[in-house]
Amino acid sequence: MLRKPACCIERSNMFERRDTREWDRAMTESTSSVVSEFEGTLLKDRELFSYFMLMAFEASNLLRFALLLLLWPVICCLDAFGMEEYGLNLMIFVALAGVPESEIKAVSRAVLPKFYMDDLNGDAWREFSACEKRVVVTRMPGVMVERFAKEHLGADEVIGSQLVVNRFGYATGFVEGGFHTAFGRVAKLFGDEERPSIGLGRPGLSFLSLCKEQKLPPFAEKQHNLEPPEPLKVIFHDGRLAKRPTPLMAFLTLVWMPFAIVLAFIRIVVGLILPISVILIIAPILGGRVIVKGKPPPPVSGDNANGVLFVCTHRTLMDPVILCTALGRKIPAVIYSLSKLSEILSPIPTIRLTRTREADREKIKNQLSKGDLAVCPEGTTCREPFLLRFSALFAELTDQIVPVAMNYRVGLFHATTARGCKAMDPIFFFMNPRPIYEVTFLNQLPAEATCSSGKSPIDVANYVQRLLGTTLGFECTNLTRKDKYRVLAENDGNVSVLPYASLFDRIKRVVSTFKPFIH
């Protein structure tokens, strides 16, 4: 196991929160409990529509996503006439009726936290984090908020409505214990003898009357000398949508979708047919762009010359292909869990490893004796500006190491998934209007930074990780592929499936949407 680099972040079971004892000691002297509204207080925006659009898209299908968008004017009218609860119930029913409860929980765990964090109100967080006991009250079903509030905000309780689930495990679209019950549930939680110290929320909320002190947004920017601890960062997240689906963004996504599919098909066919040496010239014509920085080493020559090992950060499955595009020549790439379809369609040679150390060592060593090779030692992709722990295997096999910092930018769709069909990843990447890749070649590691100078493979791997992290402005972590899949898919990432199994599972989920109503 790698030793933790100096700049890495970690915690006992997954992450590490900054030491907050001094802050907690200072704050709990004056306040001990807080009850806060979630949307409109802890979150800057009180609109819930985009979160149910995420649920409709990620937990169900595009048809449900489009239907909910069509009903947006109706929801706005209900809100305008003071019938917010009816609008909320309509969103819940359309987005969640017939969806398996397991899918709702998965999206709440893997997709929503990223969008919540992007909308977090820093001033409200300052007030909320100053208290020892923290309670969140939400208008949404509690399952949609609970994971984020407890894991990232340190909440003790989440008070929200409860989804009604039938005996088959599907949501009926109805809820129990809505926002109107918040007063009684907060009172029951604290009991007759205790009252919450602080209530955070908009004027008129019933539960605020139970609190000793009421604070309404906007909050003062800073009321304490000490800086509050940061909320737990979102390092892993899943889902295909790159932008929060507000009504306008959802409409643009739907309008773009037919063109995106055609454009993705053209881009993929062109990439497969044309020589890889001309892709840099063709890419801007089709709306893409590859930005190359640094000077790559020339191809190895001579029968006895060992190849260069290109050690890359892992952002998408396209990393090795884009690397070859930047080099202007094809080199093999090491793969682990690439789908069979993606491997067949790959425009570059691939070498499938088994995660058995000795067998993988021989495969990599054999290929390096023939020529150059590309490897992504993180072992899995990571979307956020973090680098996962680097495997030390690559450092044991060669001293000719060239670090390559890979990064990408997309506008509408993410090109990675932990829960969905991985074979669709390249397609979603090419469905973006202007996908951009940045490839930065660093200098080959000097001899004194490799194992030939007596350094351990672990030290070399950590050094390369820090070097690439500094280049990209990313934080280094000690997290692994297993950590990612435990967060996003609740497995260790080793679940083997038949080709297309994930796609078939997706189709079955679409069909099962209407199953509860048939029964």
Side-chain angles (χ1 to χ4, degrees):
M1 182 178 291
L2 285 177
R3 289 197 294 271
K4 174 175 150 183
C7 57
C8 118
I9 53 177
E10 180 186 28
R11 81 174 181 186
S12 57
N13 58 349
M14 191 64 63
F15 307 107
E16 177 180 47
R17 193 184 295 248
R18 203 170 57 182
D19 189 355
T20 61
R21 288 175 294 179
E22 189 175 347
W23 167 263
D24 290 339
R25 183 166 56 250
M27 294 302 102
T28 54
E29 291 177 359
S30 57
T31 59
S32 59
S33 60
V34 61
V35 180
S36 176
E37 179 190 28
F38 187 61
E39 44 281 330
T41 300
L42 285 174
L43 300 186
K44 300 172 187 175
D45 194 348
R46 67 181 299 265
E47 294 299 324
L48 305 178
F49 181 78
S50 59
Y51 299 114
F52 287 104
M53 288 293 282
L54 281 167
M55 273 291 177
F57 188 92
E58 304 292 358
S60 187
N61 54 66
L62 192 61
L63 292 177
R64 191 188 292 266
F65 182 80
L67 176 59
L68 186 56
L69 180 61
L70 286 174
L71 290 173
W72 177 68
V74 178
I75 296 168
C76 289
C77 289
L78 291 173
D79 290 348
F81 286 101
M83 295 185 287
E84 289 188 1
E85 187 172 350
Y86 292 100
L88 175 61
N89 289 337
L90 179 60
M91 287 190 289
I92 293 174
F93 184 83
V94 175
L96 303 180
V99 178
E101 183 184 23
S102 59
E103 277 299 301
I104 297 172
K105 290 181 176 179
V107 174
S108 301
R109 177 184 67 248
V111 179
L112 295 184
K114 163 64 178 175
F115 293 93
Y116 289 149
M117 186 64 75
D118 288 344
D119 196 40
L120 186 66
N121 186 329
D123 295 333
W125 162 250
R126 181 176 287 106
E127 299 289 344
F128 187 76
S129 63
C131 298
E132 186 176 9
K133 183 175 182 180
R134 306 164 187 171
V135 178
V136 171
V137 178
T138 177
R139 290 188 293 146
M140 289 186 280
V143 67
M144 291 177 60
V145 177
E146 190 170 24
R147 184 66 175 246
F148 173 75
K150 291 185 176 181
E151 286 285 329
H152 297 276
L153 302 185
D156 298 291
E157 296 290 340
V158 174
I159 295 177
S161 57
Q162 183 175 356
L163 285 174
V164 178
V165 179
N166 65 18
R167 61 192 180 95
F168 301 105
Y170 294 86
T172 63
F174 301 103
V175 294
E176 297 175 340
F179 195 69
H180 61 279
T181 66
F183 179 90
R185 295 169 70 181
V186 171
K188 183 178 180 181
L189 181 64
F190 283 88
D192 298 332
E193 302 298 327
E194 183 184 3
R195 294 174 59 195
S197 304
I198 294 179
L200 305 178
R202 293 169 292 110
L205 296 178
S206 60
F207 68 84
L208 291 179
S209 61
L210 294 169
C211 305
K212 298 176 183 177
E213 182 183 0
Q214 300 180 18
K215 294 188 178 182
L216 311 178
F219 304 99
E221 291 187 0
K222 188 174 181 180
Q223 297 183 0
H224 311 293
N225 293 326
L226 294 174
E227 284 294 326
E230 292 182 2
L232 189 64
K233 297 176 182 178
V234 176
I235 296 179
F236 300 126
H237 74 97
D238 208 15
R240 290 298 189 183
L241 295 180
K243 303 289 186 181
R244 182 179 167 190
T246 60
L248 177 59
M249 183 55 65
F251 175 75
L252 294 176
T253 301
L254 285 172
V255 170
W256 172 251
M257 192 72 73
F259 302 98
I261 295 172
V262 175
L263 183 57
F265 176 78
I266 294 173
R267 286 168 169 169
I268 291 173
V269 170
V270 168
L272 292 174
I273 294 176
L274 295 182
I276 203 164
S277 58
V278 303
I279 296 300
L280 279 177
I281 302 173
I282 298 297
I285 299 175
L286 296 176
R289 189 181 177 193
V290 179
I291 302 171
V292 181
K293 301 177 182 178
K295 186 177 180 180
V300 294
S301 58
D303 296 335
N304 297 324
N306 288 326
V308 170
L309 184 63
F310 293 93
V311 178
C312 309
T313 54
H314 205 3
R315 307 298 283 165
T316 78
L317 296 180
M318 297 297 298
D319 292 334
V321 178
I322 302 299
L323 172 66
C324 292
T325 301
L327 290 171
R329 55 190 170 88
K330 295 182 180 182
I331 64 172
V334 167
I335 63 170
Y336 287 102
S337 56
L338 190 70
S339 70
K340 290 293 185 181
L341 178 61
S342 297
E343 189 173 3
I344 292 171
L345 296 177
S346 174
I348 64 173
T350 58
I351 299 173
R352 183 175 289 275
L353 300 187
T354 62
R355 299 193 192 275
T356 302
R357 193 173 185 84
E358 290 304 320
D360 293 347
R361 179 201 297 270
E362 289 304 315
K363 285 187 177 182
I364 295 175
K365 195 170 183 179
N366 180 58
Q367 180 56 44
L368 285 173
S369 66
K370 300 176 182 178
D372 296 341
L373 179 66
V375 63
C376 300
E378 290 174 274
T380 188
T381 58
C382 184
R383 296 177 182 174
E384 294 302 292
F386 300 93
L387 294 184
L388 306 187
R389 190 176 75 190
F390 278 28
S391 168
L393 179 60
F394 74 88
E396 301 175 10
L397 304 178
T398 182
D399 293 332
Q400 294 180 264
I401 298 171
V402 175
V404 184
M406 311 284 294
N407 202 7
Y408 78 113
R409 296 196 298 272
V410 292
L412 293 179
F413 306 107
H414 282 299
T416 60
T417 182
R419 299 170 45 252
C421 179
K422 294 181 184 297
M424 297 292 290
D425 287 1
I427 297 175
F428 273 99
F429 176 77
F430 287 118
M431 283 172 60
N432 286 285
R434 286 189 57 80
I436 298 175
Y437 241 103
E438 294 181 359
V439 184
T440 304
F441 291 96
L442 305 185
N443 294 328
Q444 181 173 318
L445 292 189
E448 58 269 20
T450 65
C451 292
S452 62
S453 65
K455 291 185 177 296
S456 72
I458 291 175
D459 290 336
V460 175
N462 287 343
Y463 172 73
V464 174
Q465 184 199 36
R466 289 194 297 269
L467 192 63
L468 290 171
T470 302
T471 302
L472 293 170
F474 291 179
E475 291 187 57
C476 296
T477 78
N478 204 35
L479 304 173
T480 67
R481 172 184 55 87
K482 290 185 178 180
D483 294 327
K484 169 187 169 179
Y485 280 90
R486 284 167 184 163
V487 170
L488 300 182
E490 293 193 324
N491 60 58
D492 60 5
N494 286 327
V495 178
S496 58
V497 294
L498 295 173
Y500 310 109
S502 297
L503 179 60
F504 289 155
D505 183 60
R506 192 74 174 176
I507 294 173
K508 286 192 293 183
R509 286 203 296 269
V510 173
V511 175
S512 67
T513 298
F514 301 99
K515 182 177 178 181
F517 304 105
I518 297 175
H519 287 276

